[in-house]
Amino acid sequence: MDINSHTKILVVGLGYRSGLAAANFLAKRGCAVHISDSKNADELRGTIERLDPRVVVHAGEQNPELLNVGFDIAVLSPGVPQRIPLIVEAKRRGIPVIAEIELAYRFMKGRIAAITGTDGKSTTTALVGHILNDLGITALVGGNIGIPLISLVEQTRDDTVSVVELSSFQLETVDAFRPDAAAILNVTPDHLDRYDGIRKYFEAKLRIAKNQTDDDFFIYNMDDATLAGGIDGVRAKKLSFSLADNGADIFYKDGFVYRNGGSRAEMVLDASTMRILGLHNVQNAMTSILMVTSILTKMGRAVQYERIAAACCSFQGLEHRMERLGEIDGRAVINDSKATTVGAVEMALRSIAGKCVLILGGRTKGDDYSRLRRSMTGKVKGLVLIGESTDEFSRIFGDCTHTRAGSMDDALVKAMSLSAPGDTVILSPACASFDMFKSFEERGEVFRESFLKMRRGDLPWT
């Protein structure tokens, strides 16, 4: 369906990013735009003030009767599940329901590199953008990383590359979206409060390749059993990366990254020279190299591996992702607030040398958190539990040294008390932030402020 000034559109979910950006984008183009949200007007006041005044707001309701206005299309914000009655009824009436990502795609120019997976999406998305910009190619980074893709549309040109982080929620309602290069980093249990099992979750992720053809590229993790055994239907050219299998298109061995392609493997990156640490970031770098080379191939440009490797090494990483804040009394303090899954925490613990005290907890997402035990053994000397999950985690990890904290200041004080010089104190929650904070970013910022207060002497711990 063409979207023009005669189109009536219902945006479902105002939020403070995707829904807001989509509504303003459409109103600017003269569409008749309504937006609904289950929150009331007082809760949404700050966001409503940023809306185009032509947008009709339905706050505090997502009643199917809204559809009687006669909408041509519904744009679903990623945080809103398709199972709500309003969306179920829209589909019954034959109203197309699409994602904000899909909406943006219909107006975009240039190439698209799209990245999904349970863990590592944001770092890989940012790294791909960083490498492309270092190579002199204008890369626009957006999507689930925190910048709505729709807000970048007007910057796209025929020679730009949009590097897009995609969540499973965003992929649920893509229709025509087709990336030139797509990657799935890994698939581990996540959002099982929304999906009926990991298979359904994986199927949502795999929609990233739904419209790809054999002219496109699909990058995947050969070490992930779900991925390796579930991509037979992908039509794009498949490229693999691995920490363990030297037969992958790009692989890691003895501290170096190699690529296969000729008569013998060629070393392309000394992982020890990267500023971002840990095996998970080696995986992110391998994915990024394959993504960039795929885009360059589609653009008809030469691949310069030395320049790509140099860009991998100059990348400084992102806030809230294994971010080393500094030291206090001989303890390293790390902000890993973005670690909202068991897999992310497992990778974080593998990346720490020596013992640590782990600040853990928040709003759970249906995972089996007891899986953390294996990674904690011999590494975690104590737990500080925060958020809604405190009682549940106290039962799961009852035989581990643990304490409860009511605030982030309290959590850092108690973590310092459980630690010793040479240890690491790390916030790596394994949970969503929405019980105590509006986002993982806010959680990380509050943790950073606690660290700074303690370092200044304003938050004593002894």
Side-chain angles (χ1 to χ4, degrees):
M1 164 184 273
D2 290 332
I3 296 174
N4 53 52
S5 59
H6 302 292
T7 310
K8 283 187 176 179
I9 300 177
L10 175 64
V11 177
V12 183
L14 178 51
Y16 68 102
R17 287 180 178 159
S18 296
L20 173 67
N24 285 343
F25 176 88
L26 292 165
K28 184 177 179 181
R29 278 152 185 77
C31 300
V33 183
H34 292 234
I35 191 163
S36 74
D37 198 285
S38 59
K39 294 180 180 177
N40 62 45
D42 285 340
E43 293 175 289
L44 296 169
R45 187 177 308 281
T47 309
I48 291 174
E49 289 172 353
R50 297 162 59 195
L51 269 175
D52 187 297
R54 290 168 290 187
V55 176
V56 179
V57 179
H58 304 272
E61 61 173 319
Q62 286 182 323
N63 193 313
E65 291 183 3
L66 289 175
L67 300 173
N68 294 336
V69 171
F71 294 107
D72 300 303
I73 194 167
V75 178
L76 186 64
S77 296
V80 182
Q82 295 186 69
R83 63 177 177 267
I84 68 169
L86 175 60
I87 296 302
V88 172
E89 177 62 15
K91 291 181 177 181
R92 192 192 69 78
R93 296 190 187 193
I95 300 171
V97 177
I98 66 171
E100 173 259 328
I101 292 293
E102 178 70 26
L103 175 67
Y105 176 75
R106 299 183 182 197
F107 293 90
M108 291 172 65
K109 299 176 182 178
R111 304 287 182 179
I112 298 175
I115 296 127
T116 193
T118 306
D119 302 306
K121 298 185 295 294
S122 295
T123 296
T124 303
T125 300
L127 179 53
V128 170
H130 174 78
I131 296 170
L132 288 169
N133 282 318
D134 263 24
L135 295 176
I137 297 169
T138 300
L140 306 170
V141 176
N144 193 60
I145 198 168
I147 304 169
L149 188 59
I150 196 73
S151 69
L152 301 178
V153 165
E154 293 178 347
Q155 300 176 51
T156 62
R157 303 187 307 272
D158 291 342
D159 61 347
T160 58
V161 179
S162 298
V163 188
V164 189
E165 177 187 336
L166 294 172
S167 69
S168 58
F169 298 173
Q170 291 168 311
L171 287 165
E172 287 175 1
T173 45
V174 296
D175 179 25
F177 180 79
R178 174 190 166 190
D180 296 273
I184 302 183
L185 303 173
N186 43 57
V187 180
T188 59
D190 193 22
H191 299 301
L192 298 186
D193 52 344
R194 176 149 165 166
Y195 296 102
D196 294 329
I198 192 169
R199 186 68 202 177
K200 291 294 184 183
Y201 172 60
F202 172 53
E203 288 172 359
K205 292 287 189 188
L206 198 56
R207 289 177 65 85
I208 197 171
K210 173 178 181 284
N211 298 304
Q212 286 193 299
T213 72
D214 57 10
D215 289 328
D216 304 316
F217 293 88
F218 177 80
I219 289 93
Y220 71 99
N221 185 347
M222 184 183 280
D223 302 334
D224 189 300
T226 301
L227 269 173
I231 57 173
D232 289 345
V234 173
R235 297 186 296 275
K237 299 180 184 73
K238 299 182 185 74
L239 299 173
S240 59
F241 64 92
S242 175
L243 292 173
D245 192 330
N246 294 358
D249 291 284
I250 191 166
F251 63 92
Y252 176 73
K253 182 180 179 181
D254 300 331
F256 297 91
V257 173
Y258 298 84
R259 71 179 184 94
N260 283 309
S263 57
R264 62 186 181 85
E266 176 186 345
M267 194 274 283
V268 293
L269 176 66
D270 178 351
S272 69
T273 61
M274 292 197 302
R275 297 187 186 186
I276 52 176
L277 306 176
L279 285 175
H280 59 304
N281 280 320
V282 173
Q283 291 177 314
N284 295 339
M286 290 192 291
T287 306
S288 299
I289 292 168
L290 290 176
M291 290 290 282
V292 169
T293 56
S294 297
I295 290 293
L296 292 174
T297 299
K298 290 208 70 172
M299 296 178 77
R301 298 184 57 152
V303 176
Q304 299 172 286
Y305 284 101
E306 289 186 3
R307 291 187 64 186
I308 292 173
C312 287
C313 295
S314 65
F315 180 65
Q316 296 186 20
L318 299 175
E319 291 183 319
H320 316 302
R321 296 157 182 84
M322 291 301 289
E323 177 189 7
R324 185 183 174 94
L325 299 179
E327 287 193 6
I328 298 176
D329 294 337
R331 286 91 162 157
V333 180
I334 293 177
N335 170 18
D336 193 33
S337 179
K338 181 62 172 68
T340 61
T341 67
V342 169
V345 178
E346 288 175 332
M347 279 295 189
L349 295 178
R350 289 175 67 183
S351 304
I352 293 174
K355 304 284 187 178
C356 72
V357 174
L358 174 63
I359 301 173
L360 186 72
R363 177 162 294 172
T364 58
K365 298 189 286 181
D367 201 351
D368 175 11
Y369 293 92
S370 66
R371 296 190 297 124
L372 275 172
R373 286 179 168 279
R374 181 177 57 235
S375 300
M376 288 167 51
T377 302
K379 175 72 66 172
V380 176
K381 64 191 302 183
L383 295 173
V384 178
L385 305 179
I386 59 172
E388 287 179 356
S389 61
T390 297
D391 289 343
E392 178 183 351
F393 285 4
S394 184
R395 289 192 299 271
I396 293 173
F397 305 110
D399 57 343
C400 304
T401 298
H402 69 278
T403 187
R404 301 171 182 234
S407 68
M408 199 60 82
D409 281 356
D410 188 30
L412 183 56
V413 166
K414 288 176 175 174
M416 290 292 289
S417 298
L418 288 174
S419 65
D423 291 343
T424 297
V425 170
I426 179 170
L427 168 68
S428 194
C431 296
S433 58
F434 306 122
D435 55 338
M436 297 172 68
F437 309 97
K438 71 178 183 181
S439 64
F440 76 83
E441 292 99 333
E442 184 184 60
R443 178 170 59 190
E445 292 295 340
V446 172
F447 183 64
R448 180 187 289 115
E449 183 55 35
S450 295
F451 165 80
L452 292 174
K453 284 192 289 187
M454 185 173 286
R455 194 168 64 175
R456 289 194 306 263
D458 296 336
L459 180 63
W461 70 274
T462 56

